Amino acid sequence: MLKLPNLSKALVAGLLCAIAGASAYAAERISDFSLVDADGRFFQLSRHSNQDAVVLLAYDANSRDARRAISDLREIAEQFADQAVAIAIMDVTGLTDKVAMREEATDEDIPFRILMDETQLVTAELGITLAAEVVVIDPEAREVIYRGALSSRYADGSRSERRAGSYLSEALTAIVSGTEPSGNQLASKGDEIDFSAKTAIENSVSYAGDIAPILEQRCVTCHQEGGIAPFAMNNHQMIQGWSPMIRETLITKRMPPGQIGSEYADSFHGVNHITVEETQKLVSWIDNGSVNNDSSDPLAELIVKTEKWINGEPDLIIQIPAQQIPATGVQDYRNLTIPLDLEEDVWVKAVEFEAGDPTVLHHIIAFSYGADGLSQFGILNQGIGLGAYAPGNELNLYPEGSGYPLEAGGGLLLQMHYTTSGKEAVDASEIGIYLWDEDPDKTILGGSAADLDINIPPFEGNHEMVASKKFRTDSYLTMLGPHMHYRGSDANFKLKYPDGRIEEVLNVPNYQFNWQKTYDFKEPLFLPAGTELVFRGTFDNSDMNPFNPDPSQTLTWGEQTWQEMFFGFFRYVEAEGGE
């Protein structure tokens, strides 16, 4: 890979071919892509553009050549340990079981990240057809600059063609020295990758029968007239026009927003999720021209009911006083006290927030106070109180049979945070409160696993923090919610039980500050007394983080978005009788 400032790589490659009379490998442009590895951590190609090369080995646990290639790849990794080269293996079988892949890594002593190409879309785009095949990618140019056998040991062809040596090592040596890899690249002799399941799904795709229903279920809630998305998915022409962007957001996992680990998608209410099969259908349809060969357009015929309140009409609607937001400048937190004028104690079963102007409203956290007034201790021990709003997190549900008490004579303390948008705005948000007709059996409680002692060095791309909270009584865990700012990159929650067992219960591989959610369990988890909730998060303060406002800053705790926070919020109810 040439690093000459005044000539493009393509031009230089062409000149070298003309001068030397040799055939250079024709680099192939590829899309940016994202995958989740076997440990649930996020990988995005464009976030490695500071590397000279990204190396991926196609792995299939059933392939002898792929398993053998790991030891050879380890030697190459050691050879280039001091170079700007990132090396990983990629499972190309479509396997979705991360636990099985971690066990495979242990059994085969695999020291590399194992990227899971569950849809096989990345494998296909990279032109990989054989296990043990290697690709080398220029992550900045997004080009495949080498594809073939790792070495003569894995190369296809006659003995005379299979010259001795490590072809990958030779290619990387050329790349890091600023020259082009050799054009003599032999194919791998590994087993053919089975794409039959992916192909079968893609061959049967139709716009009316497949694409429109997927978009209606997964996307139209936001992508409608007057919705928060930038365009409405209201007919085939609109979808076809926006199809390149739709493809990009699917391949990079940018949409649906706020995705969690797919293995947890069925554990929580209201999760933004898209299946492997749905993604394969959408991308295949787009790659084949986004045509509608059907006689109907279901999206054009769809009548979208714009319900103001997701959970139905609330029992109480609280009008938050209108807030004037300037065009520019830093906005301090606003703490608003709102008396509720309740004549009797009530029990809340759900809370919903209606953002007045979502372009400037960053978050609302609704705490409560009683007839005796504000109590700082009481506020701090509420976690996120009645509930919280952040983009994509409007509805807060409590489990059946539990509620949050509001006292007569009390009210709400609202923590409001705004960001400026370049023009003046007025936010007049509302809170909808849903009440129990009869007193519930249990009181919803809250808290957080948090650490305020934050010290993240400049340009550090993988700063990990851990906080925990121990439950003193038998309890049921009902909600989880990670909270960090722009440098937050991933988060997960694990439970350490008194008997020594450790269970991960939520993983957010690609934490996005602009899509913060809380996750309400469909079935609350029983926690015996002594269970410890462990919240782990990673901060990316490097210039590879596209959301990082200034990687040169040392980060400490602070309320503003360019500072950082580390909270693992949770809700729970206490169990009865020591179950």
Side-chain angles (χ1 to χ4, degrees), residues 184-442:
N184 183 23
Q185 301 178 20
L186 293 180
S188 169
K189 65 177 181 181
D191 301 311
E192 287 192 7
I193 297 170
D194 183 5
F195 289 104
S196 59
K198 171 177 174 290
T199 302
I201 290 170
E202 295 173 345
N203 286 344
S204 62
V205 175
S206 76
Y207 169 74
D210 298 287
I211 303 304
I214 293 171
L215 298 176
E216 179 183 350
Q217 180 182 3
R218 304 298 187 188
C219 312
V220 169
T221 300
C222 295
H223 286 269
Q224 59 178 281
E225 294 292 344
I228 64 173
F231 64 95
M233 294 185 174
N234 50 15
N235 58 57
H236 167 258
Q237 276 189 315
M238 186 67 77
I239 304 304
Q240 190 173 47
W242 285 93
S243 61
M245 177 178 282
I246 295 172
R247 185 188 193 281
E248 179 270 326
T249 63
L250 291 169
I251 291 292
T252 60
K253 300 185 183 294
R254 191 156 61 88
M255 289 286 157
Q259 295 181 41
I260 64 175
S262 57
E263 59 269 43
Y264 304 109
D266 293 330
S267 299
F268 302 94
H269 292 287
V271 170
N272 295 328
H273 178 60
I274 189 165
T275 69
V276 167
E277 181 176 324
E278 290 167 343
T279 303
Q280 290 171 329
K281 287 183 177 182
L282 284 166
V283 173
S284 173
W285 179 74
I286 291 169
D287 287 345
N288 285 284
S290 311
V291 296
N292 180 10
N293 292 322
D294 302 297
S295 59
S296 63
D297 185 349
L299 292 181
E301 300 165 4
L302 181 65
I303 299 175
V304 179
K305 296 181 179 179
T306 54
E307 301 284 352
K308 178 177 180 178
W309 300 101
I310 300 171
N311 204 41
E313 190 68 18
D315 296 298
L316 298 175
I317 297 177
I318 299 164
Q319 307 284 343
I320 301 175
Q323 302 294 302
Q324 303 288 329
I325 314 302
T328 59
V330 178
Q331 299 302 295
D332 293 330
Y333 280 28
R334 306 183 185 193
N335 296 308
L336 307 182
T337 302
I338 300 182
L340 291 180
D341 299 325
L342 296 174
E343 297 180 357
E344 59 181 1
D345 297 347
V346 296
W347 285 89
V348 179
K349 65 178 180 181
V351 180
E352 186 172 341
F353 297 84
E354 175 70 17
D357 188 343
T359 65
V360 294
L361 179 60
H362 173 263
H363 76 248
I364 304 173
I365 302 179
F367 303 101
S368 67
Y369 63 89
D372 295 334
L374 292 171
S375 163
Q376 184 177 8
F377 178 81
I379 294 295
L380 289 175
N381 283 276
Q382 290 182 32
I384 57 170
L386 277 82
Y389 164 86
N393 196 78
E394 293 83 12
L395 179 61
N396 293 241
L397 297 171
Y398 306 152
E400 190 68 27
S402 65
Y404 188 101
L406 292 178
E407 295 181 15
L412 300 182
L413 173 65
L414 305 181
Q415 182 191 90
M416 313 280 292
H417 188 205
Y418 293 95
T419 57
T420 54
S421 64
K423 62 180 181 180
E424 293 183 355
V426 177
D427 174 64
S429 296
E430 298 174 285
I431 303 176
I433 295 180
Y434 302 85
L435 302 177
W436 286 108
D437 293 329
E438 298 180 1
D439 292 355
D441 296 329
K442 298 176 181 177

